[in-house]
């Protein structure tokens, strides 16, 4: 990956500029702006890119973190991960505070403003539509549209089932939702044009039969005759994973198969705990899902959607704070994933998901999300908006602001400290520096956690 803030991100599908004296046609080019915060935003962007390219469009992909000034993208990513890993209770307070406030504060806005020129320069001049899979990118692109500096239509693809208010940015023309539940939340947050067009997942995630399941178990060295629970915790392996793995093993209802992402230390700890099947980064997640009987997750991100596509029932359990809890609630409301709030219910719900009617209902509901035809999905909707051109927007010129480098560095550091904690699912700070110190430093003892969700801070994090 390019050094954040120092080089422009790669163009992954089409990197040939127009020949001298020619102009790129806006009818064949789309840009996607994501962010390497975890893997969910980039995963959705990659699948949208694949589908749009298959439809004959040239696709340029950008990482917003690479376009933040002064290398601040790395600070955003690292700060967010450390917050989830070491102070999940602080993340919960920040997430809830920004949700109540309905948006970000001056520090976050200053950080995003600093990226506007860099994003605009990075976009190919023939770009006919821009898609965001990340709330910070939606804010930047929406501001450019409102100011009249970006004439191409802007779409936000909502990667989560729950929609934090920061997903809904003024200036974005169309919001795309996977289900009516996130669509309703987006409208409540102020989005005007919201279209339900289903989720995206790599086509390798599909239902399988017994033979394919047995071959997958043999490939991973898993027992043929056991009920297998695939336990996932995102690409960073955050949350009380060790605690959940031990609970799954000790209850005896299922055999835990744990994917730790890039958290190799967690994989070693699980092996020391006697968890027989613990993996670091897995390239063949479709195969591992084919081998499993149920998915247990704590964040409600892209992996849940992939499980739905694979016909695998999903349980949300001991979720991480912030978007983990709100996604669990939204998935439960949509009827596609069971939210296990009480540890006493763990064994019974897992049995029902693997062998009972609850599992049958959830498999059907999850697969129904992907039942749309090829001309009804998110890529097709992006293509239609691209072809129709931008709807009218009243330009709102923004007076340029001069920011001294030192002030930018201080502001950026403050913004990163909190924005990084929340942008993984769409939150940014409502606080300036004094309020930030108060929010993080005051009242953050464990007894201030959200009632009923204290399990989010119980696990050992690596």
């Amino acid at each position: 990956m390019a050094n954040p803030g120092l080089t422009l991100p790669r163009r992954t599908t089409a990197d040939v500029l127009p020949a001298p004296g020619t102009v790129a046609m806006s009818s064949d080019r789309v840009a996607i702006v994501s962010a390497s915060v975890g893997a969910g935003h980039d995963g959705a962007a990659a699948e949208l890119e694949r589908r749009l390219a298959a439809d004959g469009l040239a696709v340029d992909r950008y990482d917003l973190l690479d376009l933040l000034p002064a290398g601040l993208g790395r600070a955003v990513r690292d700060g967010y991960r450390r917050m989830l890993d070491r102070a999940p209770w602080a993340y919960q307070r920040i997430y809830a505070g920004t949700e109540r406030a309905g948006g970000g504060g001056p520090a976050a806005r200053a950080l995003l403003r600093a990226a506007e020129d860099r994003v605009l320069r990075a976009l190919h001049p023939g770009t006919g539509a821009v898609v965001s899979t990340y709330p910070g990118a939606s804010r930047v692109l929406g501001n450019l549209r409102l100011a009249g500096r970006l004439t191409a239509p802007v779409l936000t693809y909502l990667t989560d089932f729950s929609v934090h208010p920061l997903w809904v940015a003024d200036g974005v023309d169309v919001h795309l939702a996977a289900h009516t539940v996130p669509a309703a939340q987006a409208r409540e947050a102020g989005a005007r044009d919201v279209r339900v067009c289903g989720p995206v997942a790599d086509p390798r995630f599909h239902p399988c039969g017994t033979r394919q399941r047995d071959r997958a178990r043999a490939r991973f060295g898993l027992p043929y005759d056991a009920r297998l629970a695939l336990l996932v915790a995102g690409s960073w392996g955050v949350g009380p994973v060790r605690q959940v793995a031990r609970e799954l093993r000790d209850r005896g209802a299922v055999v835990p198969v744990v994917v730790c992402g890039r958290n190799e230390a967690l994989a070693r700890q699980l092996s020391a705990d006697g968890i027989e099947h613990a993996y670091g980064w897995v390239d063949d997640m479709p195969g591992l899902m084919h081998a499993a009987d149920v998915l247990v997750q704590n964040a409600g991100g892209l992996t849940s959607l992939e499980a739905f596509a694979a016909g695998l029932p999903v349980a949300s359990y001991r979720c991480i704070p912030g978007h983990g809890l709100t996604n669990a609630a939204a998935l439960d409301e949509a009827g596609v994933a069971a939210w296990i709030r009480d540890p006493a219910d763990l064994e019974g719900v897992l049995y029902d998901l693997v062998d009972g009617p609850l599992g049958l209902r959830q498999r059907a509901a999850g697969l129904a999300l992907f039942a749309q035809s090829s001309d009804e999905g998110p890529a097709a909707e992006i293509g239609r908006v691209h072809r129709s051109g931008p709807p009218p927007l009243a330009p709102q010129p923004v007076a340029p602001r001069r920011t001294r480098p030192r002030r930018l560095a201080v502001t950026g550091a403050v913004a990163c400290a909190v924005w990084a904690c929340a942008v993984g699912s769409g939150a940014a700070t409502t606080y300036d520096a004094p309020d930030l110190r108060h929010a993080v430093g005051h009242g953050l003892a464990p007894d201030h956690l959200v009632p009923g969700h204290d399990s989010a801070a119980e696990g050992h994090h690596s």
Side-chain angles (χ1 to χ4, degrees):
M1 179 181 292
N3 291 330
L6 298 180
T7 59
L8 293 181
R10 65 189 183 282
R11 293 188 171 113
T12 56
T13 298
D15 57 4
V16 179
L17 294 175
T22 66
V23 178
M25 295 295 292
S26 64
S27 59
D28 67 354
R29 196 169 211 102
V30 172
I32 302 176
V33 186
S34 182
S36 51
V37 179
H41 302 287
D42 282 344
E47 180 57 20
L48 287 173
E49 176 188 13
R50 187 193 68 80
R51 296 186 183 193
L52 290 167
D55 290 340
L57 292 167
V59 184
D60 302 322
R61 270 182 59 197
Y62 305 92
D63 187 334
L64 179 67
L65 301 190
D66 286 340
L67 296 173
L68 293 177
L72 291 176
R74 186 182 299 276
V76 168
R77 182 169 48 246
D78 292 348
Y80 172 54
R81 180 175 183 174
R82 288 193 185 100
M83 179 69 80
L84 283 179
D85 193 39
R86 301 176 186 177
W89 29 268
Y91 175 49
Q92 174 63 45
R93 286 185 69 93
I94 292 167
Y95 187 95
T98 55
E99 190 170 40
R100 288 191 299 270
R109 287 196 295 270
L111 182 62
L112 294 176
R113 276 200 307 270
E116 290 177 9
D117 288 342
R118 297 164 71 93
V119 169
L120 200 59
R121 286 196 302 269
L123 293 176
H124 190 284
T127 299
V130 188
V131 182
S132 166
T133 64
Y134 178 69
S138 297
R139 295 269 156 167
V140 171
L141 296 168
N143 287 342
L144 290 171
R145 280 285 283 138
L146 287 175
R149 302 177 67 196
L150 178 61
T151 58
V154 172
L155 304 93
T156 287
Y157 176 75
L158 301 166
T159 60
D160 283 9
F161 251 67
S162 66
V163 180
H164 190 283
L166 282 167
W167 269 111
V168 178
D170 292 337
V172 171
D173 299 289
V174 177
H175 289 78
L176 304 178
H179 188 273
T180 55
V181 168
Q185 293 184 11
R187 292 188 185 99
E188 185 177 354
R192 292 180 297 277
D193 189 345
V194 183
R195 307 179 189 183
V196 179
C197 52
V200 292
D202 188 305
R204 294 179 300 159
F205 293 95
H206 58 77
C208 73
T210 302
R211 288 185 179 180
Q212 189 173 1
R213 186 201 67 174
D214 289 346
R215 287 196 298 268
R217 291 190 174 194
R219 191 161 61 251
F220 284 97
L222 299 170
Y224 283 91
D225 56 353
R227 297 181 183 87
L228 300 184
L230 181 59
L231 173 58
V232 297
S235 63
W236 291 339
V238 296
V241 182
R242 293 178 69 188
Q243 178 184 2
V244 174
R246 290 192 295 261
E247 286 182 284
L248 293 175
R249 178 196 61 194
D250 296 343
R251 298 294 175 87
V254 295
V255 173
V257 179
V258 189
V259 178
C260 305
R262 303 192 187 281
N263 194 339
E264 296 291 345
L266 175 61
R268 292 191 297 270
Q269 291 167 343
L270 288 166
S271 296
D273 291 340
I275 302 300
E276 184 176 356
H277 308 291
Y279 304 89
W281 184 262
V282 174
D283 290 320
D284 185 17
M285 277 299 291
L288 203 50
M289 286 194 182
H290 290 154
D293 295 298
V294 64
L295 180 84
V296 179
Q297 62 83 33
N298 66 6
L302 181 64
T303 305
S304 297
L305 299 178
E306 293 167 344
F308 300 151
L312 194 63
V314 176
S316 305
Y317 183 61
R318 295 199 183 277
C319 298
I320 62 174
H323 64 282
L325 294 173
T326 58
N327 278 336
L331 291 167
D332 184 63
E333 180 184 351
V336 293
W339 185 11
I340 305 174
R341 300 168 177 83
D342 187 342
D345 296 332
L346 179 62
E347 185 176 357
V349 173
L350 290 179
Y351 271 126
D352 202 359
L353 286 173
V354 174
D355 294 322
L358 178 60
L360 293 175
R361 291 196 302 270
Q362 289 202 355
R363 288 186 187 96
L367 287 171
L369 294 173
F370 296 87
Q372 75 272 5
S373 63
S374 59
D375 62 350
E376 294 176 330
E381 199 62 49
I382 292 167
R384 279 190 283 271
V385 173
H386 179 275
R387 289 189 298 272
S388 63
L393 271 180
Q396 298 180 7
V398 178
R401 299 187 181 186
R402 298 183 180 273
T403 305
R404 295 179 181 178
R406 181 175 298 178
R407 182 178 176 184
L408 175 60
V410 173
T411 300
V414 171
C416 286
V418 179
W419 187 48
C421 308
V423 289
S425 71
T429 177
T430 56
Y431 308 110
D432 284 324
D435 296 324
L436 168 62
R437 289 192 294 268
H438 175 79
V440 176
H442 178 70
L444 294 182
D447 59 339
H448 286 266
L449 287 167
V450 176
H453 301 304
D454 58 340
S455 60
E458 290 176 5
H460 177 86
H461 307 296
S462 302

